[in-house]
Amino acid sequence: MRNAGFSMKRRWTSAVPVALLLVLAPLGVALLTSAKGAGSARDYFTDTILVDQNGRSHRFYSDLIAGRVVIMNIIFTGCRSSCPIIMGRLVELQDLLGPTRSDVSILSISVDPVLDTPQALHAYADSLQAKQGWYFLTGKKDAVDTVLGRLGNRSSTPEDHNDVIVVGNDASGSWIKLTAIATTEDIARAVAEVASKPTNNGTTN
C-alpha cells in the first residue's frame, strides 16, 4: 500500500463501531501475530485454486491476498436477501475509494459453484458495474468449500451462507470481521484502519 495514495485514513479517522465487529483479532491461530509471516497466512487461507469471472485461475492466498489490503465476502448470484444489500455497499465503496481503489482488492466468493460459473459471475459483475480489482470467484465445489470454511462458512445450502465481511491487510496481519449490517462508511473505516497498521517489516503502509 502506498501511504500517499490512501487518503481514506484522513477521511475516516474514527474507529470502526464496536457493535458492528465480530472480532478485531486475526482470523485464526495461524495468524495470531503478524510476526509469523506469510507462511502462516498461506497455511491458514490456503493456496486453493479458484477461478474468477474472466475464467482466470488464481491461488487464493498467493495471487489474491499476499501483501494486499483485501475485502472478502460470500455471495451467490441467485441470492435475494442479504447479498444485494452488501454488494450495493461494495459498489458504493469502490466509488468512494476513487483513485485509491487500485490499492484494495475485493474478493466475492460464490457459495453456489455449480450454478455460478465464470460466465454467470461475469454477467453478475457487469450488472453491478464492478470496477477493476473486484474478483468474483468460483471453482470446484471442494475447492470453494475449503476457502469458504476459512471465512467461517459452514452452511449446507447457499441460502444459509455466512454474511460476514472480512477486511484485512496481509502485509501487517491485521484483520477485521464486520457483520452484514455494516454500512459503506463502516467498511471504509475498516479499510483505513487495517491499511494504517505497520507491516511485518516494521514500516507503515
Side-chain angles (χ1 to χ4, degrees):
M1 283 290 285
R2 298 181 302 274
N3 191 42
F6 213 88
S7 60
M8 292 297 303
K9 179 60 181 173
R10 291 189 293 273
R11 294 166 65 183
W12 301 109
T13 54
S14 61
V16 181
V18 175
L20 297 177
L21 295 183
L22 294 177
V23 62
L24 275 168
L27 293 173
V29 174
L31 294 179
L32 241 144
T33 65
S34 59
K36 290 183 179 291
S40 294
R42 187 183 298 109
D43 289 343
Y44 182 81
F45 285 111
T46 78
D47 259 342
T48 301
I49 301 298
L50 296 182
V51 182
D52 69 20
Q53 71 269 31
N54 296 310
R56 292 192 294 259
S57 296
H58 302 271
R59 295 168 297 173
F60 187 60
Y61 173 78
S62 294
D63 296 335
L64 298 173
I65 297 175
R68 302 186 183 192
V69 171
V70 297
I71 301 167
M72 297 184 275
N73 72 309
I74 301 168
I75 64 163
F76 69 104
T77 59
C79 180
R80 298 293 179 266
S81 54
S82 59
C83 293
I85 297 171
I86 294 172
M87 300 304 270
R89 288 170 184 161
L90 293 177
V91 169
E92 292 175 346
L93 181 69
Q94 277 204 315
D95 291 337
L96 184 62
L97 290 173
T100 65
R101 75 172 68 95
S102 61
D103 294 328
V104 181
S105 295
I106 303 176
L107 313 179
S108 294
I109 306 150
S110 173
V111 75
D112 190 4
V114 174
L115 293 180
D116 285 346
T117 61
Q119 293 81 5
L121 290 175
H122 193 284
Y124 187 62
D126 282 350
S127 73
L128 295 172
Q129 297 184 328
K131 298 176 176 64
Q132 187 174 1
W134 193 341
Y135 299 85
F136 295 75
L137 300 165
T138 187
K140 295 181 179 179
K141 188 177 187 308
D142 58 347
V144 171
D145 287 347
T146 294
V147 170
L148 292 179
R150 296 302 185 177
L151 300 184
N153 189 74
R154 300 287 188 272
S155 64
S156 58
T157 62
E159 291 79 9
D160 295 329
H161 71 80
N162 194 322
D163 288 328
V164 68
I165 303 166
V166 177
V167 180
N169 179 359
D170 176 66
S172 66
S174 303
W175 297 91
I176 294 174
K177 288 184 182 179
L178 299 172
T179 68
I181 63 172
T183 65
T184 303
E185 289 76 15
D186 295 324
I187 302 169
R189 290 187 190 105
V191 169
E193 177 70 15
V194 301
S196 70
K197 300 299 182 183
T199 62
N200 290 337
N201 62 11
T203 61
T204 301
N205 291 332

